[in-house]
Amino acid sequence: MKKQFKLALVATIIPVTTGLFVRYAMTHPEVLDKVGDMSPAMILALLFFYGLAFLALSLVLYVSLRMYDKTIGKQENLLLNAYSSLVNFFGPAQSGPAFRGVYLKKRHGFGVKRYMFTTLLYYAFYAVFSAFLLFVGSRPWWQTVLLMLAAAGCSYAILKWYARRSSLKDQPGINPVTLIWLAGAVALQMAALVGVYYVELRSASPGVSFGQVLTYTGAANFALFVSITPGAIGIREAFLVFSQNLHHISNTAIVAANIIDRAAYLIVLGLMFIMVIALHAKDKLHVRQVTSDQSSDS
């Protein structure tokens, strides 16, 4: 019932959001004009920053496995992240992380509970850094610190609850060194996302300041935690509109920047698809066997 409800919600949100995009673009032709002004240099810049974010996620996976003395080859790491990104965008809600979890359990003996715990660790750093971005460009420093502490406190409580619930004890691999590496990987991802949104927003609204871009990035990042649609379609836009009193970016710029972002991300997915096909990822990742196990587990 829960899965059916999510699928029904996704099936409702996507067409509604698409319809709102189309209607807004038709009544605000300047949006399409800004999208049409995309230059080859801008597209290359977006591809560079998206590539940097992809490498950061690959580093997150590598560090997560190292926390439990597991290793993964560089090519396998890249293929797994590329394939799961494609599955997550074109498949049912959050199917990418589910595939990755089943794959790591089957091919590397990385238990689901450990996978979930390292994923929660990643989300914890993601939440703290996103809280920093959300307030650092628009609010006093002490409010930024309080929000970061609140995000850290909530994350710590969730991690403790999950570790106790899953009987995860004596985890020597999770130490200051690996945590610093994980924090560094997430910081790299944050920097890449700031770069993506900076390019998009400066194209949509040249007068946007760097501080506004930071706040915009933080608001967009928090959509991850309720992302049930491919690429957080509709969810991210709602977060950006609701946080408008923080970043003060107009609806026209938000819509234009998000249309640019969706177009750029489709190019990224297309390149991932070519890589997956060219390197025979389905065979190297034993996708048929993994997906059959995933179906039997569900």
Side-chain angles (χ1 to χ4, degrees):
M1 290 294 293
K2 186 177 179 181
K3 185 177 181 180
Q4 291 175 348
F5 174 75
K6 284 185 177 180
L7 291 175
L9 199 58
V10 170
T12 302
I13 291 175
I14 292 178
V16 169
T17 303
T18 303
L20 290 174
F21 263 122
V22 172
R23 181 180 178 183
Y24 193 92
M26 290 178 64
T27 56
H28 297 78
E30 66 273 16
V31 171
L32 295 180
D33 292 338
K34 291 175 181 178
V35 175
D37 291 337
M38 292 175 63
S39 65
M42 175 187 166
I43 295 174
L44 288 176
L46 288 176
L47 292 179
F48 168 77
F49 285 120
Y50 266 119
L52 200 61
F54 180 78
L55 289 177
L57 287 175
S58 298
L59 182 57
V60 167
L61 177 59
Y62 174 79
V63 175
S64 298
L65 287 167
R66 289 298 302 160
M67 287 180 172
Y68 290 95
D69 295 323
K70 305 289 184 180
T71 58
I72 186 171
K74 293 180 181 178
Q75 186 183 85
E76 183 184 5
N77 189 334
L78 294 175
L79 288 178
L80 176 58
N81 275 294
Y83 190 86
S84 59
S85 295
L86 289 168
V87 170
N88 198 52
F89 190 86
F90 295 105
Q94 295 298 310
S95 52
F99 170 81
R100 189 159 56 242
V102 174
Y103 176 87
L104 293 173
K105 177 184 178 182
K106 184 67 179 180
R107 304 299 304 174
H108 292 277
F110 192 52
V112 173
K113 291 181 180 180
R114 292 179 173 182
Y115 170 72
M116 284 296 301
F117 188 77
T118 55
T119 300
L120 289 174
L121 272 176
Y122 161 71
Y123 283 154
F125 284 113
Y126 192 97
V128 172
F129 287 136
S130 295
F132 169 76
L133 293 173
L134 182 64
F135 270 16
V136 71
S138 60
R139 309 302 298 174
W141 68 267
W142 61 270
Q143 292 184 12
T144 303
V145 172
L146 286 178
L147 185 62
M148 291 176 67
L149 290 174
C154 291
S155 299
Y156 180 77
I158 292 172
L159 286 166
K160 290 288 289 184
W161 169 81
Y162 186 81
R164 191 183 308 111
R165 175 180 178 272
S166 303
S167 300
L168 293 174
K169 300 177 182 178
D170 300 326
Q171 303 181 79
I174 302 178
N175 53 53
V177 174
T178 54
L179 289 176
I180 289 172
W181 273 101
L182 183 60
V186 179
L188 178 62
Q189 182 188 13
M190 293 292 117
L193 292 175
V194 169
V196 167
Y197 295 133
Y198 180 82
V199 173
E200 294 170 352
L201 286 170
R202 292 288 291 183
S203 175
S205 181
V208 169
S209 69
F210 187 67
Q212 287 178 291
V213 175
L214 293 179
T215 302
Y216 180 98
T217 304
N221 285 350
F222 275 109
L224 170 74
F225 298 104
V226 289
S227 178
I228 60 172
T229 59
I233 294 175
I235 306 296
R236 187 172 69 194
E237 288 76 11
F239 271 66
L240 292 171
V241 171
F242 290 147
S243 61
Q244 204 168 23
N245 61 327
L246 291 175
H247 55 68
H248 303 292
I249 296 174
S250 67
N251 286 334
T252 299
I254 292 174
V255 172
N258 276 273
I259 291 176
I260 293 171
D261 185 75
R262 303 304 180 189
Y265 192 60
L266 285 176
I267 295 174
V268 172
L269 290 175
L271 294 174
M272 286 185 184
F273 180 76
I274 293 173
M275 180 177 73
V276 164
I277 296 297
L279 297 179
H280 307 285
K282 291 190 72 173
D283 294 330
K284 291 181 179 179
L285 297 177
H286 305 275
V287 170
R288 187 170 299 177
Q289 180 182 6
V290 172
T291 51
S292 64
D293 292 341
Q294 187 177 6
S295 300
S296 61
D297 291 342
S298 59

